[in-house]
Amino acid sequence: MSFVNSLAFTAITFIAFTALVAIISWWKTRGDKLDTQDGYYLAGRGLTGPIIAGSLLMTNLSAEQLVGTNGQAVRIGMGPIAWEVTAAIALIVLAFWLMPQYLKTGLTTVPQFFEQRYDAGTRRLVSFIVLLSYIVIMLPNILYAGAQVFVKIFDLPGLTGWSEFACIAIVCVATAIVGSIYAICGGLKAIALSDSINGLGLIVGGLLVPVFGLIVLGQMHGGGFAEGLDTLLHANPEMMNAINPADAPEPYMPWPLLFTGMFINNMYFWGTNQSIIQRTFGAKNLAEAQKGAVLAGFLKILTPLIVVIPGIIAFHMFGPAAQANGGDAGYPMLVAAVMPKAVLGFFAAVMFGAILSSFNSVLNSASTIYALDIHRPMFNPTASDAYMVKVGQRFGTVVAIVSTIMSPFMLYMGGITTFVNSMFAAFNTPILICLVCGFFWKKVPTIAPKIIIPMHVVLYFTLQFGLRNVIPFLKDIHYLYFTAFLFVVDMIVMWFIVKKNPRPTDFVVQDVKAVELTPWKHRKIYATVTLAVMVLAYIVFSPLVLGA
């Protein structure tokens, strides 16, 4: 066996690339002031469009998507591209309508706006909900999904003799330690820089998986890449159809949801989720924020090459075996089977970087929300920026420990994409409604969020985890239909509240002159191109072209 095909070479290349990213990030941020609120949490408000786009993409594109979305594709085919390509619409809405409002107010966190618009109680309510979701849902699943990849690729149970649970736990701990160093010590700029570097590596490494997968699939049918591509496109054409029936159950994506429940879900994730839009808050001006958001939207249309196509290749190669753990076994099995040993270390490094990107971004956002939205206003209003940075770092350490302890138990949750998205649906809609109505509906009173948010959470859990188990009609209803239905209910209640108890004076967004607010002059052209490519993707993966 040659040295480049050995485990030692894999380990060396893994460590080398991981270290290179860390060194570059440190070198580029070594002189930055991290003892100020803007310096630590918003990268000094100096991020440019490409950096924002790369960080947005990498914060979202992690092992959770590589494992979970490919896991759905193993089971149902191209339907899961909805989670990727339709994000372009939300990112364009963010760029055109929400970003001007966000940057005008000079926000550091989304909950800050809820106090400006409503009151301190609403800010704390939203902060606690978001923090709970980060600690209980997002961070454990990020760590677990990453661990799944490494455990399967390197067959750690076979190599060590330990159980799968033990191997996952150990990898989760190692990932959390490294990710915490980035998030707690480096601040947002270090995270954004490492995201961009790892993003380039992940694009290269991620694209190698379907390329090598098609070669191996072709060899299984007596040919090479061309034979593998022909098998992918024509052996089971129903797997290439992204247009799912209106009554299709989860994990399918019924087509009406593309314009209803999915749109609402995407608007929360890309327009309201602190761990995502904190990058745009750190933009040097509105033009750079818009440039980053629109570019990220275009890149999201291309990500199915990395997070969906490999799952379908795994379906053709492994059949039912790839559908273990709700399909989550498919992607790691494919990587282990097709990735040449010579590049496995590099691929493992960029995968590790993708995991770190999501983990440290969410951890940094959790620290930001706790320090600025809970600790300072509730316990120490006069605290200095330097002290609040330390508070955030300490809280981040506690959160990292708690989420790491929880992460191995995600092994027993089934498909992770379904688990994460169905749980987030409990609160994403009312927070989005209260934020958007707060910006654009001047008469919404202070009491509205205190009614809308608890009401929605109770109704959603009643539908998703109660009534669907006792009413046959609801059993196979996709949970995003519940999101769409409750959105209408929430808006009706909001209208009733405004009608009966309007705000005495109109709310006006104040411009604090945090950054230059001149829009990006090319935004309409690039947004139009992005939306056209999104529509084209659905035409290609439909019965009109490749699907059946």
Side-chain angles (χ1 to χ4, degrees):
M1 180 178 66
S2 64
F3 177 66
V4 295
N5 290 323
S6 67
L7 186 61
F9 181 79
T10 298
I12 291 171
T13 52
F14 170 79
I15 294 171
F17 187 84
T18 303
L20 177 64
V21 174
I23 291 169
I24 293 174
S25 298
W26 168 78
W27 182 261
K28 288 289 187 178
T29 60
R30 69 192 188 283
D32 292 351
K33 285 182 65 63
L34 297 179
D35 57 353
T36 65
Q37 178 173 305
D38 282 358
Y40 184 77
Y41 294 117
L42 294 182
R45 294 190 187 272
L47 298 182
T48 59
I51 295 293
I52 292 170
S55 191
L56 283 171
L57 192 66
M58 283 298 292
T59 300
N60 170 246
L61 186 60
S62 183
E64 182 184 343
Q65 279 67 43
L66 291 168
V67 173
T69 309
N70 274 308
Q72 289 189 330
V74 168
R75 298 162 62 190
I76 66 170
M78 288 299 295
I81 70 167
W83 297 106
E84 302 299 313
V85 301
T86 61
I89 303 174
L91 282 159
I92 289 172
V93 172
L94 170 67
F96 279 59
W97 290 284
L98 291 181
M99 279 318 306
Q101 304 297 323
Y102 281 139
L103 294 183
K104 182 184 289 187
T105 60
L107 296 175
T108 302
T109 69
V110 172
Q112 282 180 338
F113 171 73
F114 282 91
E115 181 168 8
Q116 293 178 15
R117 180 60 179 84
Y118 300 108
D119 58 18
T122 303
R123 179 181 183 177
R124 286 193 290 271
L125 173 64
V126 173
S127 299
F128 279 118
I129 290 174
V130 173
L131 275 181
L132 185 64
S133 71
Y134 286 172
I135 297 170
V136 176
I137 303 173
M138 288 191 72
L139 288 171
N141 274 280
I142 290 168
L143 292 174
Y144 163 72
Q148 268 279 8
V149 174
F150 283 92
V151 167
K152 297 290 185 183
I153 290 177
F154 296 105
D155 187 23
L156 294 184
L159 193 65
T160 63
W162 300 335
S163 68
E164 182 180 7
F165 181 88
C167 292
I168 287 175
I170 291 171
V171 176
C172 286
V173 170
T175 305
I177 291 173
V178 179
S180 298
I181 292 172
Y182 269 104
I184 295 170
C185 300
L188 181 62
K189 188 172 181 180
I191 293 170
L193 281 170
S194 64
D195 285 353
S196 299
I197 301 167
N198 281 316
L200 293 174
L202 183 62
I203 290 172
V204 175
L207 289 174
L208 288 177
V209 175
V211 170
F212 287 128
L214 289 174
I215 292 173
V216 174
L217 180 61
Q219 291 171 348
M220 294 171 61
H221 292 81
F225 179 86
E227 184 67 28
L229 183 60
D230 183 71
T231 301
L232 173 72
L233 298 179
H234 302 116
N236 293 88
E238 70 278 2
M239 295 291 285
M240 304 305 294
N241 183 19
I243 310 295
N244 300 150
D247 60 349
E250 196 282 327
Y252 289 93
M253 186 51 59
W255 67 264
L257 289 178
L258 301 179
F259 314 102
T260 55
M262 175 61 77
F263 175 73
I264 297 166
N265 180 86
N266 283 340
M267 279 308 308
Y268 171 80
F269 187 82
W270 294 102
T272 309
N273 187 351
Q274 178 73 26
S275 67
I276 292 292
I277 61 172
Q278 189 167 336
R279 282 105 191 86
T280 56
F281 289 174
K284 65 188 302 183
N285 52 48
L286 175 60
E288 294 298 324
Q290 292 178 322
K291 190 183 302 180
V294 173
L295 177 57
F298 180 79
L299 294 175
K300 282 295 290 180
I301 300 171
L302 306 180
T303 53
L305 294 172
I306 298 174
V307 301
V308 177
I309 295 296
I312 302 176
I313 296 173
F315 162 80
H316 287 289
M317 287 182 60
F318 307 115
Q323 297 176 346
N325 295 335
D328 293 343
Y331 187 76
M333 288 176 64
L334 180 68
V335 173
V338 307
M339 188 65 71
K341 300 297 183 184
V343 297
L344 192 56
F346 164 74
F347 179 78
V350 297
M351 276 294 302
F352 190 62
I355 300 161
L356 292 183
S357 172
S358 293
F359 179 79
N360 57 32
S361 296
V362 176
L363 187 60
N364 181 264
S365 294
S367 301
T368 305
I369 289 175
Y370 175 76
L372 303 184
D373 294 317
I374 295 177
H375 189 94
R376 173 178 270 169
M378 291 183 66
F379 305 116
N380 199 344
T382 61
S384 66
D385 280 3
Y387 178 74
M388 293 315 301
V389 168
K390 292 181 180 178
V391 168
Q393 290 172 331
R394 293 166 187 160
F395 181 76
T397 302
V398 174
V399 170
I401 293 171
V402 172
S403 60
T404 303
I405 292 172
M406 295 177 61
S407 57
F409 295 96
M410 297 299 108
L411 176 66
Y412 307 112
M413 294 297 176
I416 57 176
T417 296
T418 297
F419 172 75
V420 171
N421 291 325
S422 63
M423 292 299 292
F424 264 114
F427 58 85
N428 58 15
T429 304
I431 291 177
L432 174 66
I433 287 175
C434 292
L435 182 135
V436 173
C437 289
F439 271 131
F440 301 107
W441 198 348
K442 298 178 180 180
K443 290 295 187 181
V444 175
T446 299
I447 192 66
K450 298 182 180 67
I451 297 174
I452 297 293
I453 294 175
M455 178 195 74
H456 180 98
V457 172
V458 170
L459 289 176
Y460 178 82
F461 275 108
T462 300
L463 285 169
Q464 174 69 4
F465 302 106
L467 295 181
R468 76 151 62 241
N469 296 319
V470 296
I471 301 177
F473 170 74
L474 297 177
K475 181 179 180 181
D476 292 325
I477 293 290
H478 198 290
Y479 58 85
L480 286 181
Y481 275 123
F482 295 154
T483 294
F485 169 71
L486 291 179
F487 176 85
V488 175
V489 173
D490 293 345
M491 289 302 298
I492 291 173
V493 174
M494 180 69 81
W495 176 85
F496 184 80
I497 293 171
V498 174
K499 187 75 171 176
K500 294 297 183 181
N501 185 34
R503 180 187 171 100
T505 59
D506 289 355
F507 174 77
V508 178
V509 177
Q510 300 295 325
D511 185 358
V512 301
K513 308 296 183 182
V515 296
E516 170 61 42
L517 294 177
T518 302
W520 181 34
K521 63 180 180 180
H522 299 304
R523 65 192 186 282
K524 294 181 181 178
I525 296 173
Y526 284 94
T528 301
V529 171
T530 297
L531 292 176
V533 175
M534 181 195 73
V535 172
L536 180 63
Y538 265 99
I539 292 174
V540 170
F541 296 108
S542 75
L544 295 174
V545 183
L546 294 178

